[in-house]
Amino acid sequence: AENDKHVKDKSDRATQEQVLDGRTRLVLAGLVNRDIIGPFTHCISTGKEANVYHATASPNRPLSLQQYSEFAVKIYRTSILHFRARQAYMEGEHRFQGEYTSSRNPRKMVRVWAEKELRNLRRLEQGGVRGPKAIELKENVLVMEFLGDGDSASPRLKDAPIEADRLPDLYAELLIAMRKMYQHCRLVHADLSEYNILYHQSHLYIIDVSQSVEHDHPRAFDFMRTDIRNVDDYFRRRSGGEVNTLGFRRTWDFVVNDTVGSLTKEDEMGEDGDIRLTDVLQTWLAKPDGENLAIQLARPDLEVLAKERDSATQVDEAVFMTSYIPRNLAQVYDPERDVELLRRGDHDKLIYAGITNLSLGAKSQSHEVTGDENHSPGKT
Ligand code: ADP
Ligand code: MG
């Protein structure tokens, strides 16, 4: 036991030293001196890129923070190691161009990530998507609203004890959050899964948005596809197939298409927007997946996947996951074919058919696309 304790002490110290370098300690001291945070009580999570701590709020905190008695403090590691892997997210982010790519200074790079998380949390809030409120950012230290009960943090969706009969509602809530995040916040989470969703006060809260990208990031659609797969797979798996999910392809339509059902943008933005979206979702869920058969017939080579009852759906999903989805009009590699599909009413074969705002900006970059207005998918 003595030995164990020694090892534990040693690892505690190692963890602390890794995150809390001298400069970070100064930043924390500053937050204490400014009467924002009080003492840290415990570490909630140690991750590759950041640690998250629970801190009590300073008793002398400003009036604007009276409502908070505690905070979650996320401290991004200043070691450069793990941040390299995130470059793919940053490249193509016009908000942060230069700041990141030109920087050879790891501290500065990490600060940009922390700032991204702060800004994205604010965007969630503005777009009406549940997440922790961002309170304060100083260098690599982000202070946010603590989601928990007393001083114990709310569980991740993965670990949350949730009654089976609540799952369908939570699934609907999450799909609507994804739609709002895309349509209102103009962001793609890019690391969405049961690990980055907290179950707090019977609702789902989105966290960990430092890698989230603009909806027009060159890889936004790839990230979106993975997010969608994670969510759909998780709810199906967790419920043992009991929760009726939309499947990848139809989730894509529900999240990314400009409008769903007969709702106008104003309907969605309105006070009972969530209720209206839930209604649309329920209608979609009640509809069988018959239209997917067309795709199955077009790809007999994928039939080996199609063993179970819902084989058509599975094949459709496989096609969807491997389909090329253009990010802007310049990438619509065969506009004539696509227009022909639309004319024939084969909307479903165009994965981007419901997106009218494909970025026009890049059209001059590659091959000519004539008559852009007319090629704009979905405006038929
Ligand atoms: P990482 O980059 O390490 O994954 P996250 O932002 O996902 O960072 O946070 C790690 C963990 O810390 C989460 O899984 C969650 O358990 C906890 N956590 C993060 N933010 C909060 C918060 N605002 N309130 C309570 N717990 C949080
Ligand atoms: Mg995380």
Side-chain angles (χ1 to χ4, degrees), residues 76-136:
Y76 298 80
R77 283 182 202 293
T78 45
S79 80
I80 190 171
L81 235 74
H82 299 288
F83 284 86
R84 283 251 160 81
R86 307 186 122 203
Q87 204 138 5
Y89 297 89
M90 202 53 103
E91 281 162 5
E93 267 281 20
H94 44 77
R95 284 183 299 171
F96 298 93
Q97 218 105 67
E99 273 182 275
Y100 181 82
T101 37
S102 68
S103 176
R104 288 278 160 273
N105 176 349
R107 270 208 82 84
K108 201 170 164 196
M109 256 164 54
V110 171
R111 266 153 68 172
V112 173
W113 280 104
E115 191 191 328
K116 233 162 101 71
E117 178 127 42
L118 175 97
R119 290 207 215 172
N120 291 342
L121 284 177
R122 298 228 155 116
R123 295 248 301 253
L124 290 190
E125 194 185 345
Q126 280 156 12
V129 176
R130 288 188 186 87
K133 293 206 170 50
I135 308 284
E136 181 79 32

Short mmCIF file of all heavy atoms in Angstrom, two decimals, residues 76-136:
data_model
loop_
_atom_site.label_atom_id
_atom_site.label_comp_id
_atom_site.label_asym_id
_atom_site.label_seq_id
_atom_site.Cartn_x
_atom_site.Cartn_y
_atom_site.Cartn_z
N TYR A 76 -5.60 23.99 -20.93
CA TYR A 76 -5.02 23.33 -22.10
C TYR A 76 -3.54 23.13 -21.89
O TYR A 76 -2.84 24.02 -21.42
CB TYR A 76 -5.26 24.18 -23.35
CG TYR A 76 -6.73 24.36 -23.63
CD1 TYR A 76 -7.47 25.30 -22.91
CD2 TYR A 76 -7.38 23.57 -24.55
CE1 TYR A 76 -8.82 25.44 -23.12
CE2 TYR A 76 -8.73 23.71 -24.77
CZ TYR A 76 -9.44 24.64 -24.06
OH TYR A 76 -10.79 24.76 -24.27
N ARG A 77 -3.08 21.97 -22.25
CA ARG A 77 -1.65 21.67 -22.13
C ARG A 77 -0.85 22.57 -23.04
O ARG A 77 -1.23 22.81 -24.18
CB ARG A 77 -1.39 20.23 -22.56
CG ARG A 77 -1.77 19.25 -21.56
CD ARG A 77 -1.43 17.87 -22.06
NE ARG A 77 -2.26 16.92 -21.34
CZ ARG A 77 -2.12 16.69 -20.05
NH1 ARG A 77 -1.19 17.33 -19.35
NH2 ARG A 77 -2.90 15.85 -19.43
N THR A 78 0.27 22.98 -22.54
CA THR A 78 1.11 23.86 -23.34
C THR A 78 2.15 23.08 -24.13
O THR A 78 2.90 23.66 -24.90
CB THR A 78 1.79 24.91 -22.45
OG1 THR A 78 2.31 24.25 -21.29
CG2 THR A 78 0.80 25.95 -22.02
N SER A 79 2.18 21.77 -23.92
CA SER A 79 3.13 20.98 -24.72
C SER A 79 2.56 20.83 -26.13
O SER A 79 1.36 20.60 -26.33
CB SER A 79 3.37 19.61 -24.10
OG SER A 79 2.31 18.75 -24.43
N ILE A 80 3.42 20.98 -27.09
CA ILE A 80 2.99 21.06 -28.49
C ILE A 80 2.53 19.72 -29.04
O ILE A 80 1.73 19.63 -29.95
CB ILE A 80 4.17 21.60 -29.33
CG1 ILE A 80 3.73 21.93 -30.77
CG2 ILE A 80 5.33 20.61 -29.32
CD1 ILE A 80 4.80 22.65 -31.54
N LEU A 81 2.99 18.65 -28.39
CA LEU A 81 2.87 17.30 -28.92
C LEU A 81 1.53 16.97 -29.57
O LEU A 81 1.44 16.62 -30.73
CB LEU A 81 3.14 16.29 -27.80
CG LEU A 81 4.23 15.29 -28.10
CD1 LEU A 81 5.60 15.97 -28.02
CD2 LEU A 81 4.16 14.14 -27.12
N HIS A 82 0.47 17.08 -28.76
CA HIS A 82 -0.81 16.58 -29.24
C HIS A 82 -1.51 17.56 -30.16
O HIS A 82 -2.51 17.22 -30.77
CB HIS A 82 -1.71 16.24 -28.05
CG HIS A 82 -1.11 15.20 -27.19
ND1 HIS A 82 -1.02 13.89 -27.59
CD2 HIS A 82 -0.52 15.26 -25.97
CE1 HIS A 82 -0.42 13.19 -26.65
NE2 HIS A 82 -0.11 14.00 -25.66
N PHE A 83 -1.03 18.77 -30.21
CA PHE A 83 -1.74 19.75 -31.00
C PHE A 83 -1.47 19.64 -32.48
O PHE A 83 -2.24 20.06 -33.30
CB PHE A 83 -1.45 21.16 -30.48
CG PHE A 83 -2.20 21.44 -29.22
CD1 PHE A 83 -1.68 21.08 -27.99
CD2 PHE A 83 -3.46 21.99 -29.28
CE1 PHE A 83 -2.41 21.31 -26.84
CE2 PHE A 83 -4.19 22.21 -28.13
CZ PHE A 83 -3.66 21.88 -26.90
N ARG A 84 -0.35 19.00 -32.80
CA ARG A 84 -0.03 18.76 -34.22
C ARG A 84 -1.18 18.06 -34.92
O ARG A 84 -1.56 18.42 -36.02
CB ARG A 84 1.24 17.90 -34.31
CG ARG A 84 2.50 18.67 -34.04
CD ARG A 84 3.31 18.86 -35.34
NE ARG A 84 4.25 19.96 -35.21
CZ ARG A 84 5.42 19.85 -34.60
NH1 ARG A 84 5.79 18.70 -34.09
NH2 ARG A 84 6.22 20.89 -34.51
N ALA A 85 -1.71 17.05 -34.23
CA ALA A 85 -2.74 16.22 -34.83
C ALA A 85 -3.99 17.03 -35.18
O ALA A 85 -4.82 16.61 -35.97
CB ALA A 85 -3.11 15.08 -33.89
N ARG A 86 -4.12 18.18 -34.58
CA ARG A 86 -5.35 18.95 -34.77
C ARG A 86 -5.25 19.94 -35.93
O ARG A 86 -6.18 20.67 -36.20
CB ARG A 86 -5.66 19.72 -33.48
CG ARG A 86 -5.69 18.84 -32.28
CD ARG A 86 -6.16 19.64 -31.10
NE ARG A 86 -7.34 19.04 -30.53
CZ ARG A 86 -8.22 19.70 -29.80
NH1 ARG A 86 -8.06 20.99 -29.58
NH2 ARG A 86 -9.24 19.09 -29.30
N GLN A 87 -4.11 19.91 -36.59
CA GLN A 87 -3.89 20.90 -37.63
C GLN A 87 -4.97 20.83 -38.72
O GLN A 87 -5.37 21.86 -39.25
CB GLN A 87 -2.52 20.70 -38.26
CG GLN A 87 -2.00 21.97 -38.90
CD GLN A 87 -0.52 22.18 -38.62
OE1 GLN A 87 0.12 21.34 -38.01
NE2 GLN A 87 0.00 23.31 -39.04
N ALA A 88 -5.43 19.62 -38.99
CA ALA A 88 -6.45 19.46 -40.03
C ALA A 88 -7.67 20.31 -39.76
O ALA A 88 -8.33 20.79 -40.67
CB ALA A 88 -6.85 18.00 -40.15
N TYR A 89 -8.00 20.48 -38.50
CA TYR A 89 -9.19 21.26 -38.15
C TYR A 89 -8.92 22.75 -38.36
O TYR A 89 -9.79 23.51 -38.73
CB TYR A 89 -9.55 21.05 -36.68
CG TYR A 89 -9.93 19.63 -36.36
CD1 TYR A 89 -8.96 18.71 -35.97
CD2 TYR A 89 -11.26 19.21 -36.42
CE1 TYR A 89 -9.30 17.40 -35.67
CE2 TYR A 89 -11.61 17.92 -36.12
CZ TYR A 89 -10.63 17.01 -35.74
OH TYR A 89 -10.98 15.74 -35.44
N MET A 90 -7.68 23.15 -38.07
CA MET A 90 -7.37 24.57 -38.10
C MET A 90 -7.17 25.06 -39.52
O MET A 90 -7.56 26.17 -39.87
CB MET A 90 -6.10 24.80 -37.27
CG MET A 90 -5.96 26.22 -36.79
SD MET A 90 -7.41 26.83 -35.91
CE MET A 90 -6.85 26.74 -34.22
N GLU A 91 -6.55 24.22 -40.35
CA GLU A 91 -6.36 24.61 -41.74
C GLU A 91 -7.74 24.78 -42.37
O GLU A 91 -8.61 23.94 -42.22
CB GLU A 91 -5.56 23.54 -42.48
CG GLU A 91 -4.08 23.67 -42.19
CD GLU A 91 -3.30 22.40 -42.52
OE1 GLU A 91 -3.89 21.47 -43.08
OE2 GLU A 91 -2.11 22.38 -42.18
N GLY A 92 -7.91 25.88 -43.05
CA GLY A 92 -9.21 26.11 -43.66
C GLY A 92 -10.14 26.88 -42.75
O GLY A 92 -11.26 27.17 -43.11
N GLU A 93 -9.71 27.21 -41.55
CA GLU A 93 -10.51 28.02 -40.65
C GLU A 93 -10.16 29.48 -40.89
O GLU A 93 -9.15 29.95 -40.39
CB GLU A 93 -10.20 27.64 -39.19
CG GLU A 93 -11.10 26.59 -38.62
CD GLU A 93 -12.46 27.16 -38.21
OE1 GLU A 93 -12.84 28.24 -38.68
OE2 GLU A 93 -13.11 26.50 -37.39
N HIS A 94 -11.01 30.17 -41.64
CA HIS A 94 -10.63 31.55 -41.95
C HIS A 94 -10.56 32.43 -40.72
O HIS A 94 -9.85 33.41 -40.67
CB HIS A 94 -11.51 32.16 -43.04
CG HIS A 94 -12.97 31.88 -42.85
ND1 HIS A 94 -13.72 32.57 -41.95
CD2 HIS A 94 -13.80 30.99 -43.45
CE1 HIS A 94 -14.97 32.11 -42.00
NE2 HIS A 94 -15.04 31.15 -42.89
N ARG A 95 -11.34 32.03 -39.66
CA ARG A 95 -11.31 32.86 -38.45
C ARG A 95 -9.92 32.91 -37.83
O ARG A 95 -9.57 33.84 -37.14
CB ARG A 95 -12.26 32.28 -37.39
CG ARG A 95 -13.70 32.54 -37.64
CD ARG A 95 -14.52 31.98 -36.49
NE ARG A 95 -14.36 30.54 -36.34
CZ ARG A 95 -14.84 29.85 -35.31
NH1 ARG A 95 -15.46 30.47 -34.34
NH2 ARG A 95 -14.69 28.56 -35.24
N PHE A 96 -9.16 31.86 -38.03
CA PHE A 96 -7.90 31.75 -37.31
C PHE A 96 -6.69 31.66 -38.23
O PHE A 96 -5.63 31.25 -37.82
CB PHE A 96 -7.94 30.54 -36.37
CG PHE A 96 -9.00 30.65 -35.32
CD1 PHE A 96 -10.26 30.12 -35.53
CD2 PHE A 96 -8.76 31.34 -34.15
CE1 PHE A 96 -11.25 30.24 -34.57
CE2 PHE A 96 -9.75 31.47 -33.18
CZ PHE A 96 -10.99 30.92 -33.40
N GLN A 97 -6.91 32.03 -39.48
CA GLN A 97 -5.81 31.94 -40.43
C GLN A 97 -4.63 32.81 -39.96
O GLN A 97 -4.83 33.86 -39.40
CB GLN A 97 -6.26 32.43 -41.81
CG GLN A 97 -5.67 31.61 -42.92
CD GLN A 97 -6.73 30.69 -43.51
OE1 GLN A 97 -7.67 31.16 -44.11
NE2 GLN A 97 -6.57 29.40 -43.32
N GLY A 98 -3.45 32.29 -40.21
CA GLY A 98 -2.28 33.09 -39.84
C GLY A 98 -1.91 32.92 -38.40
O GLY A 98 -0.85 32.42 -38.07
N GLU A 99 -2.86 33.23 -37.53
CA GLU A 99 -2.60 33.11 -36.10
C GLU A 99 -1.98 31.77 -35.76
O GLU A 99 -1.09 31.67 -34.94
CB GLU A 99 -3.93 33.20 -35.34
CG GLU A 99 -4.37 34.59 -35.01
CD GLU A 99 -5.67 34.53 -34.21
OE1 GLU A 99 -6.74 34.46 -34.84
OE2 GLU A 99 -5.59 34.55 -32.97
N TYR A 100 -2.53 30.74 -36.38
CA TYR A 100 -2.10 29.41 -36.03
C TYR A 100 -0.95 28.96 -36.91
O TYR A 100 0.10 28.57 -36.43
CB TYR A 100 -3.27 28.43 -36.18
CG TYR A 100 -2.92 27.01 -35.82
CD1 TYR A 100 -2.91 26.62 -34.49
CD2 TYR A 100 -2.58 26.09 -36.80
CE1 TYR A 100 -2.59 25.32 -34.16
CE2 TYR A 100 -2.26 24.79 -36.46
CZ TYR A 100 -2.27 24.41 -35.14
OH TYR A 100 -1.96 23.12 -34.81
N THR A 101 -1.18 29.07 -38.21
CA THR A 101 -0.21 28.50 -39.13
C THR A 101 1.13 29.19 -39.05
O THR A 101 2.17 28.58 -39.26
CB THR A 101 -0.75 28.58 -40.57
OG1 THR A 101 -1.47 29.80 -40.72
CG2 THR A 101 -1.69 27.43 -40.86
N SER A 102 1.13 30.48 -38.74
CA SER A 102 2.39 31.21 -38.73
C SER A 102 3.12 31.04 -37.39
O SER A 102 4.25 31.43 -37.25
CB SER A 102 2.15 32.69 -38.99
OG SER A 102 1.45 33.23 -37.87
N SER A 103 2.43 30.43 -36.46
CA SER A 103 3.00 30.41 -35.13
C SER A 103 3.96 29.24 -34.93
O SER A 103 3.64 28.10 -35.20
CB SER A 103 1.90 30.32 -34.08
OG SER A 103 2.47 30.22 -32.81
N ARG A 104 5.12 29.54 -34.45
CA ARG A 104 6.06 28.50 -34.06
C ARG A 104 6.10 28.39 -32.54
O ARG A 104 6.88 27.66 -31.98
CB ARG A 104 7.47 28.82 -34.59
CG ARG A 104 7.60 28.65 -36.08
CD ARG A 104 7.81 27.18 -36.46
NE ARG A 104 7.47 26.95 -37.86
CZ ARG A 104 6.24 26.65 -38.27
NH1 ARG A 104 5.26 26.53 -37.40
NH2 ARG A 104 5.97 26.45 -39.53
N ASN A 105 5.24 29.14 -31.92
CA ASN A 105 5.26 29.23 -30.47
C ASN A 105 4.12 28.38 -29.90
O ASN A 105 2.96 28.71 -30.05
CB ASN A 105 5.10 30.71 -30.10
CG ASN A 105 5.00 30.90 -28.60
OD1 ASN A 105 4.86 29.94 -27.85
ND2 ASN A 105 5.07 32.15 -28.18
N PRO A 106 4.47 27.25 -29.26
CA PRO A 106 3.42 26.34 -28.78
C PRO A 106 2.44 27.00 -27.82
O PRO A 106 1.24 26.74 -27.89
CB PRO A 106 4.19 25.21 -28.10
CG PRO A 106 5.59 25.68 -27.95
CD PRO A 106 5.81 26.74 -28.98
N ARG A 107 2.93 27.86 -26.96
CA ARG A 107 2.02 28.54 -26.02
C ARG A 107 0.96 29.32 -26.78
O ARG A 107 -0.21 29.34 -26.40
CB ARG A 107 2.80 29.50 -25.12
CG ARG A 107 3.32 28.89 -23.84
CD ARG A 107 3.46 29.94 -22.75
NE ARG A 107 2.19 30.21 -22.08
CZ ARG A 107 1.70 29.50 -21.08
NH1 ARG A 107 2.38 28.48 -20.61
NH2 ARG A 107 0.55 29.80 -20.54
N LYS A 108 1.42 29.97 -27.82
CA LYS A 108 0.50 30.79 -28.60
C LYS A 108 -0.53 29.92 -29.32
O LYS A 108 -1.72 30.23 -29.37
CB LYS A 108 1.30 31.61 -29.62
CG LYS A 108 0.57 32.83 -30.11
CD LYS A 108 1.48 33.72 -30.92
CE LYS A 108 0.67 34.72 -31.72
NZ LYS A 108 1.47 35.33 -32.79
N MET A 109 -0.05 28.80 -29.84
CA MET A 109 -0.95 27.89 -30.54
C MET A 109 -2.05 27.36 -29.62
O MET A 109 -3.21 27.30 -29.99
CB MET A 109 -0.15 26.69 -31.05
CG MET A 109 0.11 26.74 -32.51
SD MET A 109 1.41 25.60 -32.98
CE MET A 109 0.82 24.07 -32.31
N VAL A 110 -1.61 27.01 -28.42
CA VAL A 110 -2.56 26.46 -27.46
C VAL A 110 -3.59 27.53 -27.09
O VAL A 110 -4.77 27.25 -26.91
CB VAL A 110 -1.81 25.94 -26.22
CG1 VAL A 110 -2.77 25.59 -25.11
CG2 VAL A 110 -0.96 24.74 -26.60
N ARG A 111 -3.13 28.77 -27.02
CA ARG A 111 -4.05 29.87 -26.71
C ARG A 111 -5.11 30.00 -27.78
O ARG A 111 -6.27 30.32 -27.50
CB ARG A 111 -3.28 31.18 -26.57
CG ARG A 111 -2.89 31.46 -25.14
CD ARG A 111 -1.67 32.28 -25.05
NE ARG A 111 -1.86 33.66 -25.53
CZ ARG A 111 -0.93 34.58 -25.39
NH1 ARG A 111 0.21 34.30 -24.78
NH2 ARG A 111 -1.13 35.79 -25.84
N VAL A 112 -4.70 29.78 -29.01
CA VAL A 112 -5.67 29.87 -30.10
C VAL A 112 -6.75 28.78 -29.94
O VAL A 112 -7.93 29.03 -30.15
CB VAL A 112 -4.97 29.75 -31.47
CG1 VAL A 112 -5.99 29.67 -32.59
CG2 VAL A 112 -4.06 30.95 -31.68
N TRP A 113 -6.33 27.58 -29.52
CA TRP A 113 -7.30 26.52 -29.31
C TRP A 113 -8.27 26.86 -28.19
O TRP A 113 -9.47 26.64 -28.30
CB TRP A 113 -6.60 25.20 -28.98
CG TRP A 113 -6.10 24.56 -30.21
CD1 TRP A 113 -4.79 24.54 -30.64
CD2 TRP A 113 -6.87 23.93 -31.22
NE1 TRP A 113 -4.72 23.91 -31.85
CE2 TRP A 113 -5.97 23.52 -32.23
CE3 TRP A 113 -8.23 23.66 -31.37
CZ2 TRP A 113 -6.40 22.86 -33.37
CZ3 TRP A 113 -8.65 22.99 -32.51
CH2 TRP A 113 -7.74 22.60 -33.49
N ALA A 114 -7.73 27.42 -27.13
CA ALA A 114 -8.58 27.80 -26.00
C ALA A 114 -9.56 28.88 -26.44
O ALA A 114 -10.74 28.86 -26.09
CB ALA A 114 -7.72 28.27 -24.83
N GLU A 115 -9.07 29.80 -27.25
CA GLU A 115 -9.93 30.88 -27.71
C GLU A 115 -11.03 30.34 -28.62
O GLU A 115 -12.18 30.79 -28.58
CB GLU A 115 -9.10 31.91 -28.46
CG GLU A 115 -9.89 33.18 -28.74
CD GLU A 115 -9.19 34.10 -29.70
OE1 GLU A 115 -7.93 34.11 -29.69
OE2 GLU A 115 -9.89 34.78 -30.47
N LYS A 116 -10.66 29.36 -29.43
CA LYS A 116 -11.66 28.73 -30.29
C LYS A 116 -12.76 28.10 -29.44
O LYS A 116 -13.94 28.24 -29.76
CB LYS A 116 -10.97 27.63 -31.12
CG LYS A 116 -11.21 27.75 -32.60
CD LYS A 116 -10.18 26.93 -33.34
CE LYS A 116 -10.74 25.59 -33.80
NZ LYS A 116 -11.71 25.70 -34.91
N GLU A 117 -12.38 27.46 -28.38
CA GLU A 117 -13.41 26.84 -27.53
C GLU A 117 -14.32 27.91 -26.93
O GLU A 117 -15.54 27.76 -26.91
CB GLU A 117 -12.75 26.00 -26.42
CG GLU A 117 -13.78 25.37 -25.49
CD GLU A 117 -13.62 23.87 -25.32
OE1 GLU A 117 -12.47 23.42 -25.19
OE2 GLU A 117 -14.64 23.16 -25.31
N LEU A 118 -13.72 28.98 -26.46
CA LEU A 118 -14.53 30.07 -25.88
C LEU A 118 -15.52 30.61 -26.91
O LEU A 118 -16.73 30.73 -26.65
CB LEU A 118 -13.63 31.21 -25.39
CG LEU A 118 -14.38 32.43 -24.89
CD1 LEU A 118 -14.51 32.41 -23.37
CD2 LEU A 118 -13.72 33.74 -25.32
N ARG A 119 -15.02 30.93 -28.09
CA ARG A 119 -15.89 31.52 -29.11
C ARG A 119 -16.99 30.54 -29.52
O ARG A 119 -18.13 30.93 -29.74
CB ARG A 119 -15.07 31.88 -30.34
CG ARG A 119 -14.16 33.04 -30.12
CD ARG A 119 -13.93 33.70 -31.46
NE ARG A 119 -12.60 34.24 -31.60
CZ ARG A 119 -12.13 34.74 -32.74
NH1 ARG A 119 -12.88 34.70 -33.83
NH2 ARG A 119 -10.93 35.24 -32.82
N ASN A 120 -16.61 29.28 -29.64
CA ASN A 120 -17.61 28.29 -30.07
C ASN A 120 -18.66 28.05 -28.99
O ASN A 120 -19.84 27.87 -29.31
CB ASN A 120 -16.93 27.00 -30.50
CG ASN A 120 -16.14 27.17 -31.79
OD1 ASN A 120 -16.37 28.12 -32.54
ND2 ASN A 120 -15.21 26.26 -32.05
N LEU A 121 -18.25 28.07 -27.73
CA LEU A 121 -19.24 27.94 -26.65
C LEU A 121 -20.22 29.10 -26.70
O LEU A 121 -21.42 28.95 -26.51
CB LEU A 121 -18.56 27.89 -25.28
CG LEU A 121 -17.87 26.58 -24.88
CD1 LEU A 121 -17.18 26.72 -23.53
CD2 LEU A 121 -18.87 25.42 -24.84
N ARG A 122 -19.70 30.29 -26.98
CA ARG A 122 -20.59 31.47 -27.09
C ARG A 122 -21.55 31.31 -28.26
O ARG A 122 -22.72 31.70 -28.18
CB ARG A 122 -19.75 32.75 -27.28
CG ARG A 122 -18.83 33.00 -26.09
CD ARG A 122 -18.92 34.44 -25.61
NE ARG A 122 -18.54 34.51 -24.21
CZ ARG A 122 -17.47 35.17 -23.75
NH1 ARG A 122 -16.68 35.83 -24.58
NH2 ARG A 122 -17.21 35.18 -22.46
N ARG A 123 -21.05 30.74 -29.34
CA ARG A 123 -21.92 30.52 -30.50
C ARG A 123 -23.03 29.54 -30.17
O ARG A 123 -24.17 29.69 -30.61
CB ARG A 123 -21.10 30.02 -31.69
CG ARG A 123 -20.08 31.04 -32.17
CD ARG A 123 -20.37 31.61 -33.53
NE ARG A 123 -20.44 30.68 -34.62
CZ ARG A 123 -19.51 30.56 -35.57
NH1 ARG A 123 -18.40 31.26 -35.50
NH2 ARG A 123 -19.70 29.75 -36.59
N LEU A 124 -22.70 28.51 -29.39
CA LEU A 124 -23.74 27.56 -28.97
C LEU A 124 -24.82 28.30 -28.20
O LEU A 124 -26.02 28.12 -28.44
CB LEU A 124 -23.16 26.47 -28.06
CG LEU A 124 -22.22 25.42 -28.64
CD1 LEU A 124 -21.99 24.31 -27.62
CD2 LEU A 124 -22.78 24.82 -29.91
N GLU A 125 -24.37 29.13 -27.29
CA GLU A 125 -25.33 29.84 -26.45
C GLU A 125 -26.23 30.73 -27.32
O GLU A 125 -27.46 30.71 -27.18
CB GLU A 125 -24.57 30.68 -25.42
CG GLU A 125 -25.46 31.18 -24.31
CD GLU A 125 -24.73 32.10 -23.35
OE1 GLU A 125 -23.47 32.14 -23.37
OE2 GLU A 125 -25.43 32.80 -22.59
N GLN A 126 -25.61 31.47 -28.23
CA GLN A 126 -26.38 32.36 -29.09
C GLN A 126 -27.36 31.60 -29.97
O GLN A 126 -28.44 32.08 -30.28
CB GLN A 126 -25.45 33.20 -29.98
CG GLN A 126 -24.85 34.38 -29.24
CD GLN A 126 -23.54 34.85 -29.87
OE1 GLN A 126 -23.20 34.44 -30.97
NE2 GLN A 126 -22.82 35.70 -29.15
N GLY A 127 -26.97 30.40 -30.38
CA GLY A 127 -27.82 29.61 -31.26
C GLY A 127 -28.84 28.78 -30.51
O GLY A 127 -29.55 27.98 -31.11
N GLY A 128 -28.88 28.93 -29.18
CA GLY A 128 -29.86 28.20 -28.40
C GLY A 128 -29.56 26.71 -28.26
O GLY A 128 -30.46 25.89 -28.12
N VAL A 129 -28.28 26.36 -28.28
CA VAL A 129 -27.87 24.97 -28.09
C VAL A 129 -27.30 24.83 -26.68
O VAL A 129 -26.46 25.63 -26.26
CB VAL A 129 -26.80 24.56 -29.13
CG1 VAL A 129 -26.30 23.15 -28.87
CG2 VAL A 129 -27.36 24.69 -30.54
N ARG A 130 -27.78 23.82 -25.95
CA ARG A 130 -27.31 23.65 -24.57
C ARG A 130 -25.82 23.30 -24.51
O ARG A 130 -25.36 22.40 -25.19
CB ARG A 130 -28.08 22.52 -23.89
CG ARG A 130 -29.51 22.87 -23.56
CD ARG A 130 -30.15 21.78 -22.71
NE ARG A 130 -31.56 22.05 -22.53
CZ ARG A 130 -32.51 21.65 -23.38
NH1 ARG A 130 -32.18 20.95 -24.45
NH2 ARG A 130 -33.77 21.96 -23.16
N GLY A 131 -25.12 24.02 -23.64
CA GLY A 131 -23.71 23.77 -23.40
C GLY A 131 -23.31 24.58 -22.19
O GLY A 131 -24.11 25.40 -21.72
N PRO A 132 -22.11 24.39 -21.67
CA PRO A 132 -21.70 25.22 -20.53
C PRO A 132 -21.46 26.66 -20.98
O PRO A 132 -20.94 26.88 -22.07
CB PRO A 132 -20.39 24.56 -20.07
CG PRO A 132 -19.89 23.80 -21.24
CD PRO A 132 -21.08 23.43 -22.08
N LYS A 133 -21.86 27.61 -20.18
CA LYS A 133 -21.60 29.01 -20.52
C LYS A 133 -20.11 29.30 -20.34
O LYS A 133 -19.51 28.86 -19.37
CB LYS A 133 -22.41 29.93 -19.62
CG LYS A 133 -23.89 29.81 -19.86
CD LYS A 133 -24.63 31.08 -19.47
CE LYS A 133 -26.07 31.03 -19.94
NZ LYS A 133 -26.76 29.77 -19.55
N ALA A 134 -19.56 30.02 -21.31
CA ALA A 134 -18.16 30.41 -21.19
C ALA A 134 -18.08 31.65 -20.31
O ALA A 134 -18.82 32.61 -20.52
CB ALA A 134 -17.57 30.69 -22.56
N ILE A 135 -17.20 31.64 -19.33
CA ILE A 135 -17.13 32.73 -18.37
C ILE A 135 -15.94 33.64 -18.63
O ILE A 135 -16.08 34.85 -18.72
CB ILE A 135 -17.01 32.18 -16.93
CG1 ILE A 135 -18.09 31.14 -16.64
CG2 ILE A 135 -16.99 33.31 -15.90
CD1 ILE A 135 -19.46 31.69 -16.38
N GLU A 136 -14.79 33.03 -18.81
CA GLU A 136 -13.56 33.84 -18.85
C GLU A 136 -12.45 33.05 -19.52
O GLU A 136 -12.34 31.84 -19.32
CB GLU A 136 -13.16 34.15 -17.38
CG GLU A 136 -11.94 35.00 -17.20
CD GLU A 136 -12.20 36.47 -17.42
OE1 GLU A 136 -13.33 36.93 -17.14
OE2 GLU A 136 -11.28 37.16 -17.91
#
